[in-house]
């Protein structure tokens, strides 16, 4: 009789994703096995339901009592606090590495791993936040709120494809998180798609006739494709910082696209 050594539970990977992508002290309640952290990208959009919900909720309720610009900054800050600015840190390192490393793969990786933030990183994150705030400000509060609910999971679904498109650029020992994400099988890829597309489908239904859904779907994909080409040409592989930067830049393209259509 064969005895299975796989004792993982169905919720282990989900729990690991929530621990990894947020700063909620869920690890105090339950600590999933280490192997589950290799699958966190598979539930990244599901974490986006939470982070997007916090950002959208702060936006909507804040705009009821405070000036709209203040509500926008509070919403952006709320998500950063919830995630520990995980993705923003990746974006800074991404700008630093690709801005200052030229075409030297080893130099880019070394700069991205350096804990210090350089000129490219500072300028990049400042411009990103200004563009994000400006795009949201150009939308009415109600539309901005529901756009966030759809954009966060959908952008994470798109950015998560990077682990299927190229190998990890470092070894597991060299990675910041000491984890290399596993490639998704058909079941995991389907679950990823459902998590990202369900909020988007609801958003398209609500906004039907006010936006061009084809542009909404394909503009982020085009942005992802060109970023993929740049990463592949310079690194021949992805890093965790690349994942965070891809998510934020793809998400930003959604807000800019919607702002251009409303």
């Amino acid at each position: 009789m064969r005895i299975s050594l796989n004792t993982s539970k169905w919720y282990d990977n989900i729990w690991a994703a929530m621990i990894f992508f947020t700063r909620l002290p869920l690890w105090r309640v339950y600590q999933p096995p280490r192997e589950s952290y290799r699958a966190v990208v598979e539930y990244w959009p599901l974490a986006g339901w939470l982070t997007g919900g916090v950002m959208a909720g702060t936006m909507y309720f804040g705009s009821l009592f405070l000036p709209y610009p203040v509500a926008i900054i509070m919403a952006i800050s709320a998500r950063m606090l919830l995630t520990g600015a995980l993705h923003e840190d990746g974006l800074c390192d991404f700008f630093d590495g690709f801005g200052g490393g030229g075409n030297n793969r080893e130099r880019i990786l070394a700069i991205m791993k350096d804990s210090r933030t350089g000129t490219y990183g500072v300028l990049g994150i400042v411009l990103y936040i200004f563009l994000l705030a400006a795009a949201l400000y150009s939308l009415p509060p109600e539309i901005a709120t529901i756009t966030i609910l759809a954009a966060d999971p959908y952008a994470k679904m798109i950015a998560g494809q990077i682990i299927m498109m190229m190998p990890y650029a470092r070894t597991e020992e060299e990675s910041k998180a000491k984890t290399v994400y596993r490639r998704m099988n058909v079941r995991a890829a389907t679950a990823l798609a459902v998590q990202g597309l369900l909020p988007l489908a609801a958003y398209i239904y609500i906004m039907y006739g006010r936006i061009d859904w084809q542009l909404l779907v394909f503009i982020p994909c085009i942005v992802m494709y060109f970023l993929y080409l740049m990463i592949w040409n310079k690194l021949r592989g992805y890093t965790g910082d690349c994942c965070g930067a891809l998510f934020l830049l793809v998400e930003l393209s959604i807000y800019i696209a919607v702002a251009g259509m409303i």
Side-chain angles (χ1 to χ4, degrees):
M1 181 177 66
R2 177 177 294 179
I3 300 176
S4 175
L5 297 179
N6 184 7
T7 59
S8 62
K9 302 176 178 62
W10 65 268
Y11 52 79
D12 280 341
N13 295 347
I14 298 175
W15 201 268
M18 294 301 174
I19 292 174
F20 189 86
F21 291 118
T22 74
R23 289 299 176 264
L24 297 175
L26 299 174
W27 53 271
R28 293 181 181 273
V29 179
Y30 175 71
Q31 183 62 261
R34 178 176 174 79
E35 183 66 18
S36 294
Y37 290 92
R38 299 186 65 234
V40 294
V41 174
E42 298 168 19
Y43 295 96
W44 197 11
L46 190 62
W49 290 22
L50 174 62
T51 58
V54 168
M55 185 175 175
T58 305
M59 164 85 72
Y60 179 74
F61 291 108
S63 66
L64 297 179
F65 305 102
L66 298 168
Y68 191 30
V70 175
I72 290 173
I73 299 301
M74 287 180 60
I76 296 172
S77 301
R79 188 172 69 174
M80 285 187 185
L81 289 172
L82 180 60
T83 63
L86 176 68
H87 306 105
E88 289 76 14
D89 177 68
L91 185 65
C92 286
D93 290 339
F94 180 84
F95 280 130
D96 269 339
F98 284 85
N103 292 316
N104 187 316
R105 180 180 185 274
E106 298 307 319
R107 178 166 171 75
I108 293 172
L109 289 173
I111 292 174
M112 291 173 71
K113 195 171 183 179
D114 194 330
S115 59
R116 295 169 296 181
T117 301
T119 303
Y120 287 104
V122 173
L123 290 175
I125 194 66
V126 169
L127 288 173
Y128 161 76
I129 292 176
F130 270 120
L131 281 172
L132 175 60
L136 292 173
Y137 183 71
S138 67
L139 301 173
E142 295 79 8
I143 293 179
T145 297
I146 61 174
T147 303
I148 291 169
L149 290 172
D152 191 315
Y154 182 57
K156 285 172 177 169
M157 184 204 78
I158 294 175
Q161 306 302 313
I162 195 71
I163 70 171
M164 302 295 292
M165 301 167 74
M166 62 180 74
Y168 192 71
R170 298 188 177 103
T171 64
E172 185 169 349
E173 292 72 23
E174 294 172 338
S175 69
K176 292 181 180 179
K178 305 301 180 184
T179 300
V180 175
Y181 308 130
R182 71 182 186 185
R183 286 180 173 268
M184 288 177 270
N185 56 27
V186 174
R187 180 178 178 181
T190 302
L192 182 82
V194 170
Q195 296 164 49
L197 292 175
L198 271 180
L200 183 70
Y203 178 74
I204 291 173
Y205 177 79
I206 294 170
M207 296 292 292
Y208 192 78
R210 301 190 63 179
I211 60 171
D212 186 332
W213 69 268
Q214 296 178 70
L215 289 177
L216 182 65
V217 170
F218 292 114
I219 285 178
C221 295
I222 294 170
V223 171
M224 169 68 180
Y225 177 69
F226 280 104
L227 289 171
Y228 153 75
L229 289 179
M230 182 179 70
I231 294 170
W232 177 251
N233 288 333
K234 289 181 178 288
L235 291 185
R236 299 291 173 178
Y238 75 92
T239 67
D241 291 329
C242 292
C243 292
L246 283 172
F247 157 61
L248 292 179
L249 295 176
V250 168
E251 184 194 37
L252 179 62
S253 73
I254 297 173
Y255 297 133
I256 293 174
V258 173
M261 288 186 275
I262 296 299

